[in-house]
Amino acid sequence: MKKIHRSLQISFTSIKYLVLYKFTKHGNKTLGTRLRLACEELGFVFIKIGQILSTRYELLSREDCTELQKLLDSVPPVPYEEVRKIFIEDFNITPEAIFQNWNPIPLASASVAQVYKAHIPKYGDVAVKVRRPGIEKNIRSDLAILKRLGKIAQIFSKDLSRINLNEVFKQIESWLLAEIDFRNEANNLDRISNQYHGKMREAIGEYADNMVFAKVYRDFSSDQVITMEFIEGVPVRNFKSIEGNPLYDIPGSIKASMGAIVRMWMNGDEFAFHGDPHPSNLLILPHGKLAFLDFGLLGYLSKKDTRETRDLLLAVYAQDLDATIRTALKMCGVSYDKYALKIREDIKKYLETTKDSAMGFWFTGIARVFIKHRIPFAYHVILIGRMQAIVEGLFETVMPGTTTIDAFGDELKRGLRQKIFNNLLETDLSPIFYAISEQAKKSPKLIAGLIDTYFNDPAQALRDFKSVLNN
């Protein structure tokens, strides 16, 4: 009966805000406002959906995205008495007895938790994140209902019928459950901090100094509470409040830190990244620095996954049709001989669209091709595509008109030059040297011009070298 009641609530709320809204008091509200109100009314799972939509500027208007961004840290808080119960349950004591200067009014209230500011003499000011009660049960219940509704929708939609909804919802459930596991978040935070400030510092160089991660105080943390170093900063979604302030370099903060992530991807053996870098999970700090918050969802690629996703990214950037097909199929563990011809025309059309589209949608674009041909694609393809789309929305929020290609083009060129060099080391170079020597006889200036061109456009170098080898 509870599931039937919840199904009716979801259906009724959706109809109220999206279909029959003109006959209600919400008749004059924008789509973004109606979506936000519906998500707030339906709870955590739907708030997460709204958060994802809040950075999808290719789907919604800027006004609607801005409205949905209120779901990032302005969700109505739970009553404070419930917060006190959580502390008594986990620590056998109230928060006022644990912390000094405890403020019962939360600094922020989001879908997973509420954040409070307090003080610990040993550590200084701290941010105390308290999980909303009953959230795990709500996740499992709502996703079970959405799965049923999705199966009904598949009956009427040819496109939806191509998707394995069981796998999709299973993946969403694992993401959401990981996000509410605070011990998991503490481990993720330590892991990524050690990776970017430790063993990968040489690869990302000076970029490492622009990335700030909070320290976790485990003696004041539990399953439902995580206490961290308090970082004074401005959430990216509130960046307009510091525009013109000489202490802050808003575009520089974002480009430097996101550039570090791309450089690590291009140069590292393994790759770890924030799985949900939306505008309220990033704090702008003075002097070009950026603090990363909320590591409930951490993306991690093994050496093999890092190499394959990097190869796919560079193949798409170079507009190399054969390499894109081969790498994508290899990455998903399916037979090249079985699928290469089937997807060739679709991949060719896809590559045409990437010439004018932002990098944030390259992985989601190729996923659509695989869905069409019922090819199972790997989990890390979905997660990295999600991360890229959020980063693309982040750029559009702060620097409208600037894409990740504009920001990271130099890193991609550097990665492509390295790939060309590595390929050359494994190749019989005599045909290339012969072709170059013949051209040099005709015009030494031409060779100098080609070197300059290829350095600035390594994708063209890759295509030309392949042409020489094939001939």
Side-chain angles (χ1 to χ4, degrees), residues 190-205 207-209 211 213 257-265 270-274 292 295 298-299 387:
D190 286 343
R191 180 178 191 173
I192 202 163
S193 179
N194 291 335
Q195 191 150 15
Y196 280 85
H197 287 167
K199 63 180 180 179
M200 285 306 301
R201 187 180 179 87
E202 184 177 344
I204 61 178
Y207 282 150
D209 297 327
M211 308 177 76
F213 305 98
S257 295
M258 296 303 160
I261 294 171
V262 175
R263 183 174 289 188
M264 184 173 171
W265 193 1
E270 299 174 343
F271 179 41
F273 57 93
H274 197 307
F292 291 72
F295 279 90
L298 179 70
M387 180 271 289

Side-chain angles (χ1 to χ4, degrees), residues 89-128:
E89 182 180 327
D90 283 13
F91 300 100
N92 295 317
I93 196 170
T94 64
E96 292 88 349
I98 298 176
F99 304 104
Q100 293 182 2
N101 301 333
W102 172 264
N103 187 346
I105 300 174
L107 290 176
S109 178
S111 56
V112 173
Q114 296 172 186
V115 180
Y116 299 85
K117 185 177 181 180
H119 183 84
I120 301 174
K122 181 179 178 181
Y123 301 122
D125 288 343
V126 294
V128 185

Side-chain angles (χ1 to χ4, degrees), residues 55-56 261-262 265-266 271 273-277 309 313 350 358-365 380-395 404-405 408 412:
T55 55
R56 299 303 297 269
I261 294 171
V262 175
W265 193 1
M266 292 296 104
F271 179 41
F273 57 93
H274 197 307
D276 195 19
T309 54
L313 184 68
Y350 156 75
M359 189 173 75
F361 307 108
W362 288 2
F363 280 84
T364 52
H380 56 269
V381 178
I382 307 171
L383 186 56
I384 208 165
R386 179 180 186 270
M387 180 271 289
Q388 282 190 307
I390 293 173
V391 171
E392 204 67 58
L394 180 69
F395 272 76
T404 45
I405 288 294
F408 307 140
L412 292 178

Side-chain angles (χ1 to χ4, degrees), residues 177-343:
L177 292 177
E179 195 168 348
I180 66 171
D181 183 343
F182 281 4
R183 295 195 186 278
N184 173 66
E185 179 175 349
N187 292 335
N188 288 344
L189 188 50
D190 286 343
R191 180 178 191 173
I192 202 163
S193 179
N194 291 335
Q195 191 150 15
Y196 280 85
H197 287 167
K199 63 180 180 179
M200 285 306 301
R201 187 180 179 87
E202 184 177 344
I204 61 178
E206 71 282 2
Y207 282 150
D209 297 327
N210 295 88
M211 308 177 76
V212 176
F213 305 98
K215 296 176 183 176
V216 177
Y217 303 126
R218 293 180 183 268
D219 45 342
F220 291 91
S221 300
S222 66
D223 290 339
Q224 301 180 89
V225 177
I226 181 169
T227 301
M228 297 170 286
E229 171 190 9
F230 185 85
I231 299 175
E232 193 75 55
V234 179
V236 167
R237 87 174 186 89
N238 297 332
F239 75 96
K240 288 187 179 294
S241 66
I242 54 172
E243 277 188 318
N245 188 325
L247 283 177
Y248 297 91
D249 178 4
I250 300 170
S253 295
I254 295 172
K255 287 181 179 179
S257 295
M258 296 303 160
I261 294 171
V262 175
R263 183 174 289 188
M264 184 173 171
W265 193 1
M266 292 296 104
N267 295 280
D269 290 330
E270 299 174 343
F271 179 41
F273 57 93
H274 197 307
D276 195 19
H278 63 61
S280 283
N281 280 342
L282 304 172
L283 296 180
I284 304 170
L285 308 182
H287 314 301
K289 295 186 177 183
L290 196 71
F292 291 72
L293 308 176
D294 192 357
F295 279 90
L297 187 59
L298 179 70
Y300 172 77
L301 303 184
S302 66
K303 291 182 180 180
K304 174 178 177 293
D305 294 338
T306 300
R307 183 178 63 253
E308 290 177 352
T309 54
R310 180 171 59 219
D311 287 348
L312 179 61
L313 184 68
L314 293 176
V316 173
Y317 180 66
Q319 293 287 295
D320 189 326
L321 176 61
D322 291 330
T324 300
I325 294 172
R326 190 173 295 278
T327 305
L329 291 174
K330 179 182 178 182
M331 189 166 62
C332 294
V334 295
S335 167
Y336 176 85
D337 294 335
K338 181 177 179 180
Y339 289 105
L341 285 178
K342 292 181 181 179
I343 67 172

Side-chain angles (χ1 to χ4, degrees), residues 7 12 17 29 39 42 64 84 90 113 163 238 247 264 333 344 356 426:
S7 299
F12 175 75
Y17 286 106
K29 290 184 171 65
C39 291
L42 291 173
D64 291 336
R84 286 171 60 88
D90 283 13
I163 300 174
N238 297 332
L247 283 177
M264 184 173 171
R344 188 175 184 83
D356 301 315
E426 301 170 0

Side-chain angles (χ1 to χ4, degrees), residues 56-70:
R56 299 303 297 269
Y57 289 91
E58 85 286 8
L59 299 176
L60 298 170
S61 70
R62 175 170 291 277
E63 180 186 17
D64 291 336
C65 287
T66 300
E67 184 66 30
L68 284 171
Q69 285 177 11
K70 294 177 181 178

